[in-house]
Amino acid sequence: MKKILAVALVAFSLGGCATPFGTLIKNVETAVTIGTASIANPVTKTRLNTLERGLNVIAVGLNSWKKDCDDGVIPATCHDQIAAVRVYTLQAKPVLVRLRVFVKNNDQVNAVSAFNNIVDLIADIKAGAAAGGRTINTGS
Amino acid sequence: MVDITAILSTLTKGLGIVNQIIGAKAIPAVTVLQNALPVVVALTELATAAQAGEVTDEQLTATETILDANLDAFNAG
């Protein structure tokens, strides 16, 4: 009886945190691909370039998704799903502009913060696209 | 960009001088090595960074231009 109760509790708790767990996995995946920044691991121009190239791969994938949606190749619900992802890509643009200035001025405190902000947004973008049935990776 | 060839050339000359000093027994070899160790560590880090390759401003600008175009296209709706 105790065993059954324990299994039910575990199943319930796993089911209850499925979404946060999925987000955590996405964040870890992005952090491993692009890395996160810290004062000990500063944002150099090379790291900025790596981040931007990764984000560009995502942007290309998003535009392909958008084209399929506009062409009616995929179900019409894609318009809402794309709009949900666009919330994050619209946030990314101004952060990216600030990040570039911080890196060029070697303002590492703000650069690290902006860099990690973009990494989080990339995870949100990928998770949003995945929720809409589109798998988008940052590449290598 | 770091000139790795120049660094290696300077390092080789420096090691030659160190070898002469040790050979002449002017300074104990252990003392020389203790002083040289931080330099070797720094040079190793420098060489690693140089081999990894730093992106040029032109390359970065090119990446940014492409990314801006793709991101703006998606954001345009």
Side-chain angles (χ1 to χ4, degrees):
Chain A
M1 183 63 189
K2 273 185 182 175
K3 262 187 189 172
I4 294 168
L5 185 64
V7 169
L9 280 172
V10 169
F12 178 75
S13 58
L14 284 176
C17 66
T19 304
F21 183 70
T23 305
L24 174 69
I25 294 296
K26 287 283 171 197
N27 281 334
V28 170
E29 193 183 295
T30 303
V32 168
T33 308
I34 295 174
T36 51
S38 65
I39 296 301
N41 191 17
V43 188
T44 60
K45 285 181 181 177
T46 300
R47 291 199 71 206
L48 173 63
N49 192 51
T50 303
L51 176 79
E52 298 204 86
R53 286 176 65 176
L55 186 53
N56 186 54
V57 172
I58 289 174
V60 169
L62 291 175
N63 281 320
S64 165
W65 185 27
K66 190 177 130 185
K67 186 177 183 308
D68 286 350
C69 189
D70 291 343
D71 292 349
V73 176
I74 52 179
T77 49
C78 61
H79 291 289
D80 290 340
Q81 292 158 348
I82 287 173
V85 170
R86 194 173 284 128
V87 170
Y88 302 115
T89 55
L90 284 167
Q91 285 177 45
K93 191 67 197 292
V95 178
L96 203 55
V97 171
R98 288 200 299 274
L99 173 61
R100 290 167 183 168
V101 174
F102 294 145
V103 172
K104 279 158 196 171
N105 293 335
N106 200 26
D107 178 354
Q108 284 300 321
V109 173
N110 286 313
V112 166
S113 172
F115 185 97
N116 292 334
N117 195 345
I118 294 281
V119 169
D120 288 343
L121 284 169
I122 287 175
D124 290 336
I125 291 166
K126 287 167 69 178
R134 198 75 166 200
T135 302
I136 294 175
N137 291 314
T138 44
S140 60
Chain B
M1 179 67 80
V2 177
D3 186 350
I4 196 75
T5 311
I7 292 171
L8 287 174
S9 172
T10 307
L11 184 60
T12 306
K13 284 178 194 168
L15 285 173
I17 294 166
V18 168
N19 197 33
Q20 285 175 8
I21 292 170
I22 294 173
K25 295 185 178 170
I27 302 172
V30 173
T31 307
V32 173
L33 290 174
Q34 279 174 345
N35 286 310
L37 190 60
V39 179
V40 171
V41 171
L43 281 169
T44 305
E45 287 174 357
L46 187 64
T48 305
Q51 282 171 340
E54 283 291 316
V55 69
T56 65
D57 286 346
E58 290 76 17
Q59 288 169 327
L60 186 55
T61 303
T63 302
E64 289 173 351
T65 303
I66 295 167
L67 172 59
D68 285 345
N70 284 322
L71 214 48
D72 288 345
F74 183 74
N75 285 340

